[in-house]
Amino acid sequence: VFQLSMPLNFLGTVYRELRQSLLDMEVLFNLRRNNPPIRDPVGAPPFEFKGGSIRFEDVDFAYHPQRPIFQSLSFTVPPGKKVAIVGPSGCGKSTVLRLLYRFYEPSAGRILVDGQDITKIQLDTLRQAIGVVPQDTPLFHADIMHNIRYGKLNATDEEVKTAAVRANVHDTIQRLPDGYKTKVGERGLMISGGEKQRLAVARVVLKDPPILFFDEATSALDSRTEMELMKNINANLVDNSRTSIFIAHRLRTVVDADHIIVLRNGRVEEEGTHETLLRLRGLYYEMWLAQADTIGQEEATNGARAIEEAK
Ligand code: ATP
């Protein structure tokens, strides 16, 4: 009996893991359960990473036909760069990520990653290449070790701990009642929004993906915690070997991006570096001034003065 039940139990575990990961993805993207599953075309090749360039080409998309989100949206994210996507609330920033991850399909146009149309390659190999730090990190009802290991299921305990150190969450974990064995998630120990996001960073550090997507929390974190988190991400995850895309609500987090894409009304309204966008005196400039309260009056005036001087 023992010998027979072993492999069955094992299969049960694997099945639960799989189910769990599907659940996680739904939570991750705030999706309802009944999305039609996307199937790979027969004989689709795996995704081949060649630097991490991303291109949206004339993409049309709507959740509901009567309300278009994107109309002929086109932009390019160069490989190995740090790119930010900004724009008014509801303009579709998080939707860009959902389309790239192929949770939804454009009704027209194409999305290319390293020149490969994402509808023509094996979806799981594409997703494997993309690491996401979501707005609100889903935690499973399991211990912390398991929750971080989710980034790479075959990681050793040592690898998990190294990732936690790099994500600046190791010390916090060690202070918990049962350390890495502390149960979190539903019915588990409550942890703060900042700690949750650092666990998400640890997951991504462990996954070490060539493409990184960071969806900034709208309200979960106070700005000091957010700044520390950004510093940590910049130090540990952003480098020339991977493409990083930041969906930003606070413009201060994108000032140093190589390229900033400003979305409005389903299209790219303007794009460039922080300085060139300020000089344009368009939407980005308006948003920058409007955020003066949160970014500090001083910095905003300095920004404005820099433009005056540049003229
Ligand atoms: P914010 O800055 O407020 O986070 P955003 O720019 O990231 O917003 P999205 O979350 O991409 O915007 O949403 C774009 C629009 O699509 C919004 O008007 C939103 O209400 C709508 N929307 C988002 N998800 C869905 C969905 N699953 N079904 C229907 N409409 C949706």
Side-chain angles (χ1 to χ4, degrees), residues 50-253:
K50 296 174 202 160
S53 77
I54 296 166
R55 168 139 189 87
F56 275 53
E57 220 170 65
D58 298 320
V59 167
D60 288 357
F61 177 73
Y63 291 101
H64 302 294
Q66 65 277 23
R67 218 184 131 231
I69 304 290
F70 297 138
Q71 285 169 301
S72 207
L73 175 69
S74 297
F75 64 82
T76 303
V77 173
K81 298 287 182 204
K82 175 177 176 177
V83 173
I85 300 178
V86 304
S89 176
C91 69
K93 299 181 289 294
S94 303
T95 304
V96 167
L97 170 60
R98 293 188 196 130
L99 290 178
L100 180 67
Y101 222 80
R102 263 192 97 198
F103 269 117
Y104 292 92
E105 305 274 26
S107 53
R110 299 193 300 168
I111 299 170
L112 305 164
V113 181
D114 282 335
Q116 299 150 75
D117 183 332
I118 63 169
T119 61
K120 305 224 156 65
I121 51 178
Q122 284 167 28
L123 182 56
D124 61 337
T125 60
L126 171 74
R127 289 183 178 173
Q128 201 51 46
I130 305 173
V132 181
V133 180
Q135 285 209 18
D136 187 23
T137 305
L139 294 176
F140 315 126
H141 180 63
D143 64 22
I144 299 230
M145 185 67 86
H146 180 97
N147 268 284
I148 298 178
R149 186 175 280 129
Y150 181 74
K152 182 182 165 195
L153 292 177
N154 61 354
T156 63
D157 287 4
E158 270 324 296
E159 285 179 295
V160 169
K161 285 181 187 167
T162 308
V165 170
R166 288 182 58 195
N168 199 18
V169 68
H170 175 75
D171 292 344
T172 315
I173 295 170
Q174 290 208 304
R175 283 196 295 269
L176 295 175
D178 294 314
Y180 280 84
K181 294 210 161 67
T182 308
K183 290 242 200 272
V184 291
E186 267 176 78
R187 292 168 288 136
L189 185 82
M190 292 288 289
I191 62 170
S192 75
E195 286 159 356
K196 261 173 128 182
Q197 273 212 315
R198 279 184 285 148
L199 288 181
V201 173
R203 268 183 196 164
V204 175
V205 167
L206 197 59
K207 185 172 178 179
D208 194 23
I211 298 170
L212 169 73
F213 229 109
F214 177 79
D215 199 349
E216 184 184 59
T218 3
S219 56
L221 305 182
D222 62 79
S223 61
R224 209 181 122 232
T225 315
E226 184 80 48
M227 288 296 280
E228 272 167 21
L229 184 81
M230 290 306 301
K231 232 167 80 187
N232 190 270
I233 290 178
N234 279 318
N236 277 297
L237 285 164
V238 177
D239 58 45
N240 298 336
S241 71
R242 79 182 97 227
T243 304
S244 18
I245 303 177
F246 286 73
I247 295 176
H249 300 96
R250 297 189 184 88
L251 297 187
R252 153 185 211 151
T253 53

